[in-house]
């Protein structure tokens, strides 16, 4: 599941995982857990997250692949916020092909910039997420355009891309999502 910050991918990924009875694996949550427990990985990740930049691929890929090895992911998973660039997508494909598995769908949640900015301002107030502050949110949007948008072509060429309108009411997005992938 991917989309710009504020498109609602976290919310929809949790709902899809519940509906499909599979694990929900969110790279941002894994980083925030590490920041919260002040691990070495957390301290490293924080320096990038605070600026709105991507955490280096090597540590990100290792962290997510390790999480995918846990027992609760054996029956499948929704990956939320990973991969976020082509290097990560290729590493994921490689790791999965070694296991005889593959990504089934790549879901893109789309949302206009104005609406994203409106939501991020609201979320900064409601949840106090430091990286929703305006300057950091701007950088996250820039990084999304530059590094994550190329995944549209990557997954479109594999025939796995499903585009969803993230501006509709939350329940409507969930219904469309489940319909799009037969969940
Ligand atoms: P998120 O909760 O998905 O918006 O992620 C919050 C922050 O965690 C991002 O702005 C990045 O700094 C970092 N992050 C999350 N997922 C990734 C990823 N796949 N690659 C690199 N950094 C990531």
């Amino acid at each position: 599941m991917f989309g710009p910050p504020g498109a609602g991918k976290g919310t929809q990924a949790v709902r899809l995982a519940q509906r499909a009875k599979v694990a929900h694996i969110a790279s941002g949550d894994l980083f925030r857990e590490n920041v919260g427990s002040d691990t070495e990985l957390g301290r490293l990740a924080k320096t990038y997250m605070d600026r709105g930049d991507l955490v280096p691929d090597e540590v990100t890929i290792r962290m997510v692949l390790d999480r995918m090895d846990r027992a609760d992911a054996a029956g499948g998973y929704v990956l939320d916020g990973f991969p976020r660039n082509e290097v990560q997508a290729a590493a994921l494909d490689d790791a999965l092909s070694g296991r005889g598995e593959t990504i089934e769908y790549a879901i893109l949640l789309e949302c206009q910039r104005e609406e994203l900015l409106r939501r991020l301002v609201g979320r900064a107030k409601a949840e106090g997420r430091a990286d929703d502050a305006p300057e950091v949110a701007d950088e996250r949007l820039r990084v999304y355009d530059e590094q994550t948008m190329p995944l549209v072509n990557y997954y479109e060429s594999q025939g796995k891309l499903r585009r969803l309108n993230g501006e509709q009411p939350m329940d409507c997005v969930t219904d469309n999502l489940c319909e799009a992938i037969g969940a």
Side-chain angles (χ1 to χ4, degrees):
M1 175 101 58
F2 69 111
K9 68 186 164 55
T11 305
Q12 298 300 333
V14 167
R15 290 177 168 202
L16 175 60
Q18 280 169 351
R19 176 93 61 113
K21 297 193 171 53
V22 296
H24 170 236
I25 300 179
S27 45
D29 288 351
L30 295 174
F31 283 131
R32 279 184 287 275
E33 278 162 32
N34 274 279
V35 171
S37 45
D38 198 27
T39 64
E40 197 180 322
L41 171 62
R43 285 193 292 274
L44 172 81
K46 190 173 186 309
T47 61
Y48 294 91
M49 295 167 80
D50 283 352
R51 295 197 302 258
D53 291 335
L54 295 187
V55 179
D57 290 331
E58 197 189 307
V59 287
T60 303
I61 292 163
R62 194 171 343 119
M63 174 183 75
V64 176
L65 292 179
D66 282 352
R67 174 65 187 84
M68 285 163 56
D69 277 338
R70 296 217 325 241
D72 68 328
Y77 37 77
V78 177
L79 292 177
D80 167 1
F82 178 91
R84 241 176 169 98
N85 61 27
E86 285 186 286
V87 171
Q88 295 180 10
L92 177 62
D93 280 348
D94 268 6
L96 289 177
S97 73
R99 303 169 185 198
E101 295 172 13
T102 183
I103 287 293
E104 229 178 323
Y105 299 105
I107 298 152
L108 168 63
L109 267 188
E110 296 181 296
C111 193
Q112 299 287 328
R113 193 66 31 132
E114 263 178 27
E115 174 64 9
L116 293 174
L117 292 171
R118 201 184 59 75
R119 291 181 182 184
L120 289 170
V121 170
R123 193 164 78 176
K125 282 196 193 126
E127 296 176 20
R129 250 181 77 165
D131 61 353
D132 285 338
E135 324 75 62
V136 186
D138 275 352
E139 173 66 2
R140 289 165 66 215
L141 287 166
R142 193 193 63 74
V143 168
Y144 175 79
D145 287 343
E146 184 187 282
Q147 304 206 37
T148 310
M149 277 295 276
L151 293 183
V152 171
N153 284 338
Y154 184 93
Y155 285 115
E156 202 154 43
S157 68
Q158 293 188 5
K160 293 178 178 172
L161 190 74
R162 300 290 181 273
R163 290 172 187 266
L164 288 173
N165 176 1
E167 292 190 33
Q168 291 177 309
M170 255 188 248
D171 289 346
C172 190
V173 178
T174 310
D175 289 343
N176 292 341
L177 168 58
C178 292
E179 196 187 308
I181 66 172

